[in-house]
Each structure stands twice: as structure tokens, then as C-alpha cells.
Amino acid sequence: MCPVDCDRLLSAYDYTLSPDRIAQAPVVPRDSARLLVVKDANDHTHAIFRDLPQLLKPGDLLVLNNTRVLPARLYGHKSSGLSVEILLLEPQPNETTDADDFSTCWLALVKPGRRLKPAAEIWFKGPITDAATDQTPLKATVLASDPTTSGRIIEFQVPPGQSLKDWLYEFGQVPLPPYISNPEASPDQYQTVYADRLGAVAAPTAGLHFTPELLQTLEEHGIQQAFVTLHVGVGTFRPVEAEDITQHQMHAEWAEVSQDTVDRIRQTKAQGGRVIAVGTTVVRSLEGAAQSGTLQPLYGKTNLFIYPGYQWQVVDGLITNFHLPKSSLMMLVSALIGRQRLLDLYQVAIEEGYRFYSFGDAMLILPEARQRQIFNSD
């Protein structure tokens, strides 16, 4: 029997998933993914993602995250020959930029971390003494350790007139999640079709199901679209470790909610429409922009952690994928429909053969399914 404050416990967000349920590649076409539709507090049904225009209402507003995933994984070596793997997480304040005005200082996860202390140098595209190439290699220097992420602050020395962005596109790799053990997808399949703001290290995966044709059909049905940007970083996928989840601290991620998006949301609500967030990153962006009590434009970092008991400000409904056990993403969705309700729906999805995680199927939580009860935080 779960205690009264069960929603606070990390162990209460666990479930068992067979490895064969973890999708290793998206379905083709994208909008042929399955969709578990949560209709109200007690009812659900099964659909296909392309059915979305018939499941929403004219006047609804879809809000999507237009971030684009960086080729953020790089492989290099120290001058000793030791192989090094780097995963860029987010740019850091720095006076130095490259030819494309792209920051050259980054927070990164590195392997092997214990061998990469401050002042360590990392080379990419061959050692500096390589006479077989006339191209100056890219060099990075470890500036400091970051205790919050166990990462490193590194600074790239980009050859004059060159761009770090170009180096990343030539030599970097789009970092797929570690549970995709046998990748069967191309890098483009890990980008949404509307991605145009480079800066994420993971895709906003709920948006991977949209095609240009589906977006057009939605517009033709009177379902409008607006965009935010949240550059998905360590805050989204960092594990929750505290058994009392209220002690978890989210790592801040960069978010932008424009005045145009704010105006569209206000107009939608004034006309009786519903705001449907496409993905948990959109939820955090919109709710983060409303923490003053009124939705305002946001250009900065948000570390908003949403869990049961959260008082919703903006979002009415949600399109989301199926998330890892004990993740902050499960806690966010639980805040919308209730933790036990979510676990029950996950069990339904498992029994019905749904595919899980980044390349998996999706869930549509309609506004009628939102939990109305207030969580007691005392």
C-alpha cells in the first residue's frame, strides 16, 4: 500500500519494460506511429498519429519546440594518444566566438573524465605534428571541472577564419540516447521537420512524429501552430537521484518564448481554444514563462521542475512520448493526469505492444483528462 505522500517518492515512478519494447528506429512515415489517446480521467483509446486533426478541435493551438540537435559528440585524443570522447552540453559565457559567431567555450561531458583535468589539451583530426595534412587541427583545452554535471568546461581554439559549427558538422555526430543500442536511423530522423534553431543535444522527441503534410492538414482543420525554443540539455535527461523528488534540482536549459507566441496563446484562450504542448520541453518553456503568474516572453534559462501538485498556468493538453522510469519527464506528465493514472496507461501501452522512448510511439493527453485535484505539499 502506497503512503499518502507517495507522489514524492522516486521509487513510485518505476515500471518494468522489456528491452524489445525500446524502439531502435522511428516508423516510416513519421506520422504512422501509434497514438494512445487519453480522453478523460477514465477513458482512453488507440489511434494513429496522423489522426491528430480529428482528435483536436478547430481553434486549438499546437505549440512546438523548434530546436535543432547539434552534432555534439566528438572523438579526439590527447597528445599522448589517449582517445577522448566529448559530448557538448551547452555554450558558456565567453568573449571568444568563431567565424559564425558561435561560442567556442562549452560545458561538456568527457570520457575518460579522470584523465582530463584543467589544462589538459585535446586534439581533433590528427595530432598537431601530423605532416600528412595541411589543415590546422582543432584543439580544445579543459578550463575547469563542473561539479553539478561532473563535466568539464572546455574552450576550442578554432583556426583563424574557420567555424566551430562547420567542424561539428564535418566531424561531429548527432548523439543518440544510450538506450538506442543498435541504431537503425539516419541523423535526419532524429530531427523534427521544423527544427531550425541549432543548440540541443537531444531531440524534442514528441515532435518527431510530425510531417509537413500533417502540419498542413492541421492548419486546414483550423488548428494553429506556434513555436518556442528550448535547447534540450542535461536538465532534461539528468536522472533524479533523491528518493524525495522535491529535493531534485533541475539543471537550467536555455528557452525562448517570443512575444508572438505569447500573443497567439492569449488570443487562443480568449477565443475558447486550448493550448496543446508538443512535448515536455514545450511545457517547461511555457510554464517557465508564466512563473510570475502571467505569461510573458522569456529569453533565458529555466530550471522549472514540474511534479504532482504543480499549479498549471498555460498548458491545457499534451502530446508526449513514453519516458524512462523514474525520470523527471514522468513526473511532469504525472502532474497533468496523476501518477497512478500514468502508470496504468503505461501498462496498457506495454500490453498493447507500443514502442517506447525517443523513437517510439506517442500519447495524446486531451484537456478533459487533466487531473483537477490539488496536491498537498505540507
Side-chain angles (χ1 to χ4, degrees):
M1 190 73 177
C2 199
V4 174
D5 58 353
C6 186
D7 286 352
R8 297 173 184 261
L9 301 180
L10 177 62
S11 54
Y13 294 85
D14 200 7
Y15 68 92
T16 301
L17 183 72
S18 172
D20 62 4
R21 288 271 98 91
I22 302 173
Q24 298 298 306
V27 294
V28 179
R30 293 170 181 248
D31 59 2
S32 61
R34 298 179 67 185
L35 184 65
L36 180 57
V37 183
V38 189
K39 299 173 66 176
D40 57 36
N42 302 301
D43 193 16
H44 66 269
T45 188
H46 305 283
I48 302 298
F49 200 86
R50 69 171 69 96
D51 298 332
L52 198 58
Q54 289 75 45
L55 297 168
L56 300 178
K57 297 179 180 180
D60 285 348
L61 178 69
L62 282 175
V63 185
L64 309 104
N65 183 3
N66 62 5
T67 189
R68 187 170 184 84
V69 183
L70 283 162
R73 179 167 282 126
L74 288 167
Y75 295 93
H77 56 81
K78 297 180 66 175
S79 56
S80 64
L82 177 72
S83 296
V84 175
E85 178 182 343
I86 289 178
L87 176 63
L88 302 181
L89 294 180
E90 62 183 31
Q92 300 296 291
N94 188 35
E95 296 179 357
T96 306
T97 57
D98 64 15
D100 281 346
D101 197 31
F102 201 67
S103 176
T104 58
C105 191
W106 285 77
L107 170 63
L109 298 179
V110 298
K111 294 180 182 179
R114 66 184 183 279
R115 305 285 293 274
L116 291 167
K117 298 179 180 179
E121 295 180 340
I122 308 165
W123 300 95
F124 304 91
K125 195 177 171 59
I128 194 169
T129 57
D130 188 353
T133 176
D134 57 4
Q135 181 175 4
T136 304
L138 180 68
K139 173 186 172 184
T141 302
V142 177
L143 301 182
S145 299
D146 180 64
T148 303
T149 62
S150 299
R152 301 291 186 272
I153 307 298
I154 63 174
E155 184 172 24
F156 290 92
Q157 284 77 56
V158 182
Q162 296 185 27
S163 165
L164 178 58
K165 185 188 299 184
D166 290 342
W167 273 88
L168 293 179
Y169 272 112
E170 184 171 357
F171 299 108
Q173 297 179 12
V174 170
L176 295 177
Y179 48 75
I180 298 179
S181 57
N182 183 26
E184 302 168 7
S186 67
D188 285 346
Q189 289 178 295
Y190 195 57
Q191 304 278 10
T192 64
V193 297
Y194 45 80
D196 65 2
R197 298 289 304 279
L198 189 68
V201 299
T205 54
L208 295 179
H209 306 292
F210 288 91
T211 64
E213 295 78 12
L214 178 57
L215 291 169
Q216 181 178 344
T217 301
L218 286 161
E219 285 197 9
E220 292 170 353
H221 279 71
I223 300 160
Q224 301 302 308
Q225 299 151 33
F227 293 91
V228 300
T229 302
L230 186 140
H231 291 319
V232 188
V234 69
T236 294
F237 57 81
R238 183 184 178 194
V240 178
E241 297 176 341
E243 177 60 18
D244 179 354
I245 66 169
T246 65
Q247 302 305 307
H248 177 67
Q249 296 293 318
M250 292 286 288
H251 187 81
E253 296 166 309
W254 180 266
E256 298 182 22
V257 180
S258 67
Q259 183 66 58
D260 178 68
T261 293
V262 169
D263 291 343
R264 286 171 177 261
I265 290 172
R266 290 174 178 167
Q267 182 180 20
T268 296
K269 288 184 174 286
Q271 296 175 348
R274 294 101 50 95
V275 175
I276 310 297
V278 178
T280 58
T281 59
V282 172
V283 172
R284 292 183 60 228
S285 299
L286 295 181
E287 296 294 325
Q291 288 306 289
S292 66
T294 305
L295 180 63
Q296 302 290 340
L298 172 65
Y299 298 91
K301 289 189 174 183
T302 179
N303 65 347
L304 180 62
F305 177 31
I306 298 176
Y307 54 87
Y310 176 77
Q311 302 299 299
W312 294 92
Q313 305 289 323
V314 183
V315 172
D316 299 308
L318 174 65
I319 297 171
T320 186
N321 280 19
F322 296 94
H323 303 294
L324 273 73
K326 300 183 179 181
S327 64
S328 64
L329 308 181
M330 279 195 72
M331 295 162 195
L332 183 152
V333 183
S334 295
L336 195 66
I337 61 172
R339 180 190 55 81
Q340 190 57 55
R341 173 75 164 135
L342 181 65
L343 289 172
D344 290 344
L345 289 165
Y346 271 41
Q347 189 58 41
V348 168
I350 291 170
E351 293 172 358
E352 293 290 332
Y354 277 70
R355 303 161 75 247
F356 274 58
Y357 304 164
S358 293
F359 284 142
D361 297 314
M363 175 187 293
L364 168 63
I365 300 173
L366 292 170
E368 294 80 7
R370 273 186 51 180
Q371 180 174 260
R372 302 299 177 183
Q373 68 185 54
I374 304 300
F375 176 74
N376 184 2
S377 59
D378 295 333

